Amino acid sequence: MMAKRITLLALLAALLLVSGCIFSPEKNKDDEIVDPDGPPFAGSPEQLMRNFMDVYEDRDYTGYLTVIDPEFKIFLKQETVDEFGLPRDYFGYDEEIVITEKMFSGNPPREGVGAISNIELSVLSQVGTWELTENTVFPGALESQYEVQFKIMQSTTDGERQLNITGRIIFFLSTEQVDHNGRERTLYRMVGQIDETNAG
């Protein structure tokens, strides 16, 4: 386990990606094909968060693409930026889908780095309610905080190890009016996160 307590996405990025390649994504969001038989229509914030939990635990990459907005950003702690020498304090959509595809694949992402064999999102507990955000990065989005706990199993040369990631994430949801089964409905997608979790 790394000596410093760092955020979930930065930890996974460090485990899964070669230094530098995270900012050279392999896929473009315009080329993604979303599975029409994926997660249920996210017609409420609650359904969207259930979908988020399900696709993580199922390691369902195509399902995950229906959860996140193309404008997605996740903001990291400054100590994480400094720890890994990152060029900015967030990952955008393109970096996110590269990380997630590698994490969900079940395959070692590179030599010397073990594959992720299981993800359990054992805690996803809302703190407060959904409110219109005052964060100018996500104008018009809804914002709420959640207590989370991820248990991630990763293969090692000696078997498997468990990574425990706990703490709080601030989630931001976008809304869009779409035609769904012949009627106009509001679709919710995850447009951002502020990650305040720790690995321990």
Side-chain angles (χ1 to χ4, degrees):
M1 183 57 60
M2 303 182 70
K4 292 191 176 180
R5 293 162 66 82
I6 59 177
T7 63
L8 168 64
L9 259 295
L11 174 63
L12 295 175
L15 291 170
L16 299 174
L17 300 176
V18 177
S19 177
C21 81
I22 187 169
F23 296 100
S24 302
E26 300 164 355
K27 294 196 175 192
N28 184 286
K29 59 180 175 259
D30 296 328
D31 297 330
E32 298 297 343
I33 298 175
V34 176
D35 182 0
D37 298 321
F41 182 83
S44 68
E46 293 74 23
Q47 184 63 60
L48 188 281
M49 297 306 291
R50 284 194 293 272
N51 292 352
F52 173 74
M53 173 181 277
D54 289 345
V55 298
Y56 248 83
E57 292 196 327
D58 294 342
R59 291 183 290 148
D60 177 2
Y61 175 69
T62 56
Y64 188 66
L65 296 177
T66 72
V67 169
I68 62 171
D69 189 288
E71 299 302 318
F72 180 88
K73 290 184 175 69
I74 179 167
F75 285 86
L76 311 172
K77 293 178 179 178
Q78 187 57 47
E79 66 194 73
T80 303
V81 176
D82 297 340
E83 172 81 14
F84 293 102
L86 301 176
R88 58 178 187 257
D89 65 350
Y90 69 89
F91 298 149
Y93 179 95
D94 289 329
E95 293 92 9
E96 173 71 2
I97 64 173
V98 170
I99 293 169
T100 304
E101 183 177 31
K102 291 178 182 295
M103 181 172 63
F104 286 1
S105 71
N107 299 316
R110 61 183 170 90
E111 186 176 354
V113 177
I116 301 298
S117 60
N118 189 62
I119 300 174
E120 179 185 350
L121 182 45
S122 56
V123 175
L124 183 64
S125 178
Q126 188 174 16
V127 179
T129 60
W130 290 103
E131 304 288 347
L132 191 64
T133 188
E134 296 181 1
N135 188 312
T136 56
V137 176
F138 307 110
L142 297 175
E143 172 185 337
S144 190
Q145 299 184 40
Y146 279 72
E147 294 290 342
V148 301
Q149 181 175 356
F150 294 82
K151 296 178 181 178
I152 299 174
M153 298 302 297
Q154 184 189 29
S155 61
T156 70
T157 55
D158 299 322
E160 285 191 318
R161 67 170 175 170
Q162 179 172 298
L163 307 173
N164 297 307
I165 292 114
T166 62
R168 188 167 289 194
I169 298 178
I170 304 171
F171 291 99
F172 299 87
L173 306 187
S174 64
T175 58
E176 180 184 359
Q177 296 304 117
V178 300
D179 180 82
H180 179 69
N181 292 338
R183 65 187 182 96
E184 187 177 89
R185 294 187 63 187
T186 302
L187 173 66
Y188 293 83
R189 287 187 290 189
M190 192 171 292
V191 71
Q193 296 177 20
I194 298 176
D195 188 357
E196 298 177 350
T197 58
N198 298 300

